[in-house]
Amino acid sequence: MTELQIRDLHVSVQTEQGTKAILKGVDLTVKSGETHAIMGPNGSGKSTLAYTIAGHPKYTVDSGSITLDGEDVLAMTVDARARAGLFLAMQYPVEIPGVTVTNFLRTAKTAIDGEPPAVRSWIKDVKTSMENLRMDPSFAQRNLNEGFSGGEKKRNEILQLELLKPKIAILDETDSGLDVDALKIVSDGVNRARESTDVGVLLITHYTRILRYIRPDFVHVFVEGRIAEEGGPELAERLEEEGYDRFLNNAKVG
Amino acid sequence: MAAASPSAAAIEHSRLLSKQHSDGGWGVIPIQSRLGRFTSFDVSEFEPVTGFEEAWKYTPVKLLSTLIDEPLDGSRPQIESSVEGAATVEWVDRGSKRIGEVGKPEDKASANAWSHSSGAWVIDIEKDGGRVDLQRTGSAAPAAGHLVFNAASGSTGTIVLRNVGSAQLAENLEISVGDGAVLTVVTIQDWTAESTQLSSTYATLGRDARLHHLAVTLGGSVVRMTNSTHLAGQGGEAELLGVYFADSNQHLEHQIFVNHDAPNTKSRVNYRGALNGDNARTVWVGDVLIRPSAIGTDSYEENRNLLLSDGGRADSVPNLEIETGDILGAGHASASGRFDDEQLFYLQARGITEDEARRLVVRGFLSGIVQKIHLPDIAEDVERAIDLELGGRAE
Ligand SMILES: Nc1ncnc2c1ncn2[C@@H]1O[C@H](COP(=O)(O)OP(=O)(O)OP(=O)(O)O)[C@@H](O)[C@H]1O
Ligand SMILES: [Mg+2]
């Protein structure tokens, strides 16, 4: 049983105009087996939260804490966080020339497990996961994300989720830019990971559509750098009908 | 032309078909043609090198005046060799007919080396084929060198030249690939940090001959390798490959000239470089000339550079001169890109340490070229050397 705890998190970025506060007191707990959806308007700080958990150097934590089973995540390097069991499926996966998908996956798996995977079962696992995600075998020999379409990049992120078996996975708009079929395929991948590893999931999305495939236990409304409301799956439906006006007005008044 | 500053985005000109230097049917080589350069065996016939010449404009010529202008020690250099199969290694004196069959100096440093060397090491691959490994240790005094590699008609052979130690060397290498022969040549420049080398390779290929050439340039403060390959016989094929890794204050330069001069000839030029640190500097110039005689030519050249840090500069300059419309294809691609912080973050976010991430990227990037030469022992050596360049453990 793993628990990711975020407490009163304040995060800023350096901009040309000076320091800009983005996260303004985030409290959130994600446990093994739970799925949390985060929804909120553009620019409210969802990706900032995701990147801060993963340790992107652009973001400065001004106060608050992030712990994984009591361990101080903020004190860890980016790679140590991943080895501790955190995974971020990125909104914009990065292209890496010169590194094939195969080579990358094996290196990452070795880094995370602390030892190389057993060759035969590993090759089989990779092949099976790629088939499940309807990725053509030729992708294995291509350079990581280089020239991949938007949807192919997202599948490749979920491929890693399946193979690296993190304890807590953050999916930043993995559903954006997917066609109807791909949405189903990618959701199935996430669900397989949930069933086989009991991974805790933090799912950032703009659309309720994906929540019909990946049922969340909790829905959080993210507005202006903090969680403005929490509820169950029904909250997502309500947001779809009403939009974020209610929260934005509140925020302005407050 | 893609002169890449560190932050430059990738520039692609894939499969470009260009007729920018049309001869207008007069059979006259245009004045700016790569073929039009002055050539002579005699160094005194060359104008002084200023650094403004087309051939020298990317090179730090001030650091090289000894090699370009001064008398050089041209005595017979030490070279260790091991021979497998039907091949020979012998020294011939200046004046031997074995010297000058292929090349004629195209720049002053090449002519200076030619004028001062007292002879040449000649490596012959005989009809039954073989492999020769050479190791050359540099010497303290500024030196002139000359090598001749010859593959007999119909032979299949490999010649590997490893350059180690400290050197100030200007040299010429003549490569002759006989009709129907297949020759693989690997030269590894692994000099000590203060070394300088100006090396001029001249290759000529007979009918249906194939040359696979790999230049691996890692060590030295200034290393400039020029390669002028003449596809003189019908059906000849040249594969010219290179990898280089420039650290702080290193200047590594490769200038390639492929002269398609017979029907149905093919060339593939593919060089990749990595740059790491302040003032790491690389230059790649790829000139391809398709002469009116070279109908049915198939040519493609590519150069990619990976900038691992700020403060480096990679120049990448492909040039195509096409004098006949009747070709299969001619194209080039040139790209210089950064290994940037977002890439590092992505790999680290998958548990990979920073050092390992850099190693992964550079190895993958460069070893793709090395593997094309199909010599596993060389591929291993080069990967180990690249790991050392990156300051990582050699495995
Ligand atoms: N380097 C930066 N300079 C200026 N502003 C920045 C910088 N980085 C982030 N921001 C701002 O921080 C805010 C939060 O951005 P973030 O990417 O976290 O939003 P988001 O909720 O993920 O939005 P979206 O739904 O569009 O993905 C935005 O207003 C963004 O412009
Ligand atoms: Mg976002």
Side-chain angles (χ1 to χ4, degrees):
Chain A
M1 178 66 160
T2 296
E3 186 172 295
L4 176 72
Q5 268 198 17
I6 299 164
R7 289 289 169 268
D8 197 24
L9 189 68
H10 288 74
V11 170
S12 59
V13 290
Q14 296 305 319
T15 73
E16 274 162 25
Q17 290 78 42
T19 306
K20 180 179 175 190
I22 302 177
L23 300 188
K24 299 164 183 167
V26 177
D27 287 288
L28 184 65
T29 302
V30 180
K31 295 179 187 163
S32 294
E34 293 179 353
T35 297
H36 295 247
I38 291 190
M39 306 185 79
N42 295 132
S44 56
K46 304 180 299 295
S47 291
T48 301
L49 176 63
Y51 276 124
T52 304
I53 296 169
H56 195 290
K58 189 171 96 173
Y59 302 96
T60 308
V61 175
D62 298 313
S63 63
S65 68
I66 304 177
T67 58
L68 187 69
D69 293 331
E71 295 283 322
D72 183 3
V73 170
L74 295 175
M76 299 178 197
T77 58
V78 175
D79 45 301
R81 294 177 197 207
R83 291 195 299 271
L86 294 172
F87 179 86
L88 168 61
M90 296 188 203
Q91 187 173 359
Y92 302 108
V94 183
E95 302 195 1
I96 307 202
V99 180
T100 61
V101 169
T102 301
N103 192 6
F104 163 71
L105 289 173
R106 196 189 315 105
T107 307
K109 184 69 177 169
T110 304
I112 285 185
D113 290 359
E115 58 180 8
V119 176
R120 208 170 288 169
S121 60
W122 172 247
I123 291 172
K124 193 169 139 271
D125 289 352
V126 172
K127 194 164 166 274
T128 309
S129 293
M130 287 183 71
E131 277 169 12
N132 286 337
L133 289 163
R134 309 279 194 285
M135 290 175 75
D136 190 88
S138 64
F139 276 88
Q141 289 317 312
R142 284 178 62 177
N143 287 334
L144 186 55
N145 292 323
E146 198 175 51
F148 287 23
S149 75
E152 288 162 354
K153 285 181 183 169
K154 298 300 177 73
R155 286 177 209 219
N156 188 43
E157 294 292 285
I158 299 309
L159 176 67
Q160 295 167 52
L161 168 69
E162 283 199 54
L163 292 169
L164 300 180
K165 305 194 190 314
K167 293 175 179 155
I168 303 287
I170 303 150
L171 311 182
D172 190 1
E173 293 199 27
T174 300
D175 56 333
S176 293
L178 293 181
D179 66 44
V180 194
D181 295 336
L183 182 67
K184 178 85 169 54
I185 290 163
V186 159
S187 301
D188 287 346
V190 176
N191 287 331
R192 269 194 305 277
R194 290 205 299 176
E195 278 156 31
S196 65
T197 65
D198 207 30
V199 59
V201 176
L202 188 59
L203 184 86
I204 297 170
T205 183
H206 287 295
Y207 307 104
T208 47
R209 220 176 42 181
I210 192 173
L211 302 181
R212 296 195 194 117
Y213 296 115
I214 305 173
R215 294 300 293 176
D217 304 299
F218 308 94
V219 174
H220 310 268
V221 184
F222 210 83
V223 180
E224 295 185 355
R226 60 167 76 91
I227 291 170
E229 190 165 326
E230 292 173 323
E234 75 290 344
L235 181 54
E237 307 290 341
R238 202 176 147 198
L239 288 173
E240 180 136 276
E241 277 159 31
E242 296 176 4
Y244 299 112
D245 268 6
R246 186 158 66 91
F247 304 102
L248 291 171
N249 288 339
N250 280 352
K252 286 211 180 85
V253 173
Chain B
M1 162 145 181
S5 67
S7 57
I11 300 162
E12 285 271 3
H13 312 265
S14 297
R15 220 61 203 171
L16 174 89
L17 238 170
S18 147
K19 280 202 71 174
Q20 58 203 15
H21 300 297
S22 167
D23 67 357
W26 292 95
V28 179
I29 293 161
I31 196 79
Q32 70 271 33
S33 170
R34 179 61 176 75
L35 253 198
R37 278 193 196 161
F38 178 75
T39 60
S40 169
F41 292 109
D42 183 356
V43 63
S44 67
E45 291 183 354
F46 280 83
E47 298 285 332
V49 173
T50 62
F52 293 109
E53 301 82 358
E54 191 63 33
W56 290 105
K57 66 183 188 185
Y58 300 99
T59 317
V61 293
K62 285 205 183 72
L63 302 174
L64 300 166
S65 54
T66 311
L67 293 178
I68 298 171
D69 300 317
E70 307 280 322
L72 301 169
D73 173 7
S75 60
R76 170 176 168 166
Q78 285 304 320
I79 202 157
E80 288 165 49
S81 61
S82 79
V83 176
E84 278 168 39
T88 58
V89 177
E90 67 164 336
W91 173 262
V92 300
D93 285 328
R94 189 183 174 79
S96 160
K97 281 212 291 285
R98 300 301 307 274
I99 297 175
E101 287 187 311
V102 177
K104 187 170 181 188
E106 295 173 1
D107 66 50
K108 194 178 176 194
S110 172
N112 201 31
W114 204 292
S115 299
H116 287 101
S117 49
S118 65
W121 283 106
V122 177
I123 318 314
D124 279 298
I125 303 288
E126 296 170 350
K127 182 120 182 51
D128 290 337
R131 171 169 168 166
V132 176
D133 282 75
L134 303 166
Q135 174 146 320
R136 180 168 60 180
T137 306
S139 63
H146 201 121
L147 295 162
V148 176
F149 295 172
N150 180 64
S153 294
S155 66
T156 297
T158 297
I159 302 172
V160 177
L161 170 65
R162 288 183 171 79
N163 291 302
V164 297
S166 162
Q168 286 186 72
L169 176 66
E171 67 162 343
N172 293 293
L173 165 59
E174 297 183 81
I175 300 175
S176 168
V177 191
D179 292 347
V182 180
L183 180 64
T184 299
V185 173
V186 179
T187 71
I188 300 173
Q189 287 62 245
D190 201 7
W191 306 111
T192 56
E194 74 287 355
S195 298
T196 52
Q197 181 189 19
L198 295 173
S199 176
S200 303
T201 294
Y202 304 94
T204 188
L205 280 73
R207 194 186 171 102
D208 297 321
R210 273 191 274 156
L211 172 64
H212 304 279
H213 184 279
L214 171 68
V216 178
T217 305
L218 304 169
S221 72
V222 182
V223 177
R224 171 176 140 127
M225 316 282 296
T226 65
N227 179 329
S228 182
T229 291
H230 186 196
L231 288 160
Q234 180 165 351
E237 281 185 37
E239 182 181 41
L240 308 178
L241 307 169
V243 297
Y244 45 90
F245 191 121
D247 293 314
S248 276
N249 301 314
Q250 266 189 307
H251 175 104
L252 305 181
E253 176 171 339
H254 296 86
Q255 297 213 14
I256 295 94
F257 172 40
V258 182
N259 179 359
H260 284 268
D261 194 14
N264 305 321
T265 49
K266 179 174 171 182
S267 67
R268 292 289 180 270
V269 179
N270 199 342
Y271 275 65
R272 287 194 182 177
L275 295 82
N276 195 22
D278 276 349
N279 299 315
R281 180 87 165 83
T282 66
V283 175
W284 177 87
V285 178
D287 294 325
V288 173
L289 168 64
I290 301 171
R291 307 195 67 193
S293 50
I295 55 168
T297 284
D298 178 5
S299 153
Y300 192 75
E301 55 170 351
E302 180 175 321
N303 172 233
R304 293 182 187 280
N305 296 291
L306 181 64
L307 292 118
L308 293 167
S309 69
D310 287 336
R313 180 186 160 118
D315 283 286
S316 181
V317 189
N319 296 306
L320 262 174
E321 286 178 71
I322 304 181
E323 299 177 345
T324 170
D326 187 8
I327 61 170
L328 268 184
H332 63 220
S334 163
S336 296
R338 288 185 52 166
F339 176 60
D340 64 21
D341 294 345
E342 293 303 323
Q343 291 172 336
L344 187 59
F345 173 74
Y346 187 89
L347 294 171
Q348 282 190 276
R350 301 300 181 249
I352 300 165
T353 61
E354 177 169 351
D355 282 353
E356 181 71 21
R358 281 180 197 281
R359 226 170 8 241
L360 185 68
V361 169
V362 176
R363 261 189 178 213
F365 183 69
L366 299 181
S367 66
I369 298 291
V370 178
Q371 276 153 16
K372 284 180 192 287
I373 210 81
H374 302 298
L375 294 173
D377 61 322
I378 298 297
E380 257 177 54
D381 279 7
V382 173
E383 290 199 356
R384 202 173 308 123
I386 292 166
D387 279 353
L388 286 173
E389 287 283 332
L390 285 160
R393 72 205 128 86
E395 274 154 51

